[in-house]
Amino acid sequence: MSKKKVTKVCKLQFMAGGAKPGPALASAGINMPQFCNAFNDATKDRKGDIVPVIITAYEDKSFDFVLKTTPAANLLKKAAGISKASGDQKQTAGKITMDQLREIAEYKMPDLNANDIDAAMKIVAGTAKNMGIKVEGME
């Protein structure tokens, strides 16, 4: 079994089911239509979400990609029902419940550096605080 030589690793974000050839993909040096079809098929069940992806490009123009979970900021804005976070922590942009916080933390768990759900909830709560989103029941 021969090892393929990695030429580039790219971290990009696309709307689920909405990847299309462009400058960001061109810099990866991969077969863009092939990647777009594979990405769009893999994310068709996550419509409306932003999906981070790590693309590993090889010397022979082949590639592998790993899908990540939607960024916590996007999930928090959706849960709080706001379109824009506050630029100032002291100004409240919206509110979420502890149940919503737990749900987001459980979803984000595979991509977080946390050993349990409580640690994951603290990480997501910190993101919420920085965005000006209050977590009801957590003061």
Side-chain angles (χ1 to χ4, degrees), residues 10-14 24-28 35 39 50-55:
C10 296
K11 294 181 181 181
L12 302 170
Q13 293 184 359
F14 297 103
L25 277 177
S27 69
F35 167 77
F39 177 87
I50 292 175
V51 181
V53 60
I54 299 174
I55 305 167

Side-chain angles (χ1 to χ4, degrees), residues 2 14 46 50 57-58 68 79 81-82 86 106 108 120 123 134:
S2 65
F14 297 103
R46 292 170 64 178
I50 292 175
Y58 300 103
K68 297 294 187 177
I82 58 174
S86 171
E106 286 171 352
K108 290 291 298 173
I123 292 169
K134 296 263 188 263

Side-chain angles (χ1 to χ4, degrees), residues 33-46:
Q34 185 182 1
F35 167 77
C36 291
N37 288 337
F39 177 87
N40 293 342
D41 285 346
T43 60
K44 63 181 173 249
D45 59 333
R46 292 170 64 178

Side-chain angles (χ1 to χ4, degrees), residues 7-8 10 24-32 57-62:
T7 56
K8 192 164 193 175
C10 296
L25 277 177
S27 69
I30 59 171
N31 180 332
M32 291 187 280
Y58 300 103
E59 210 170 33
D60 63 356
K61 302 286 186 208
S62 65

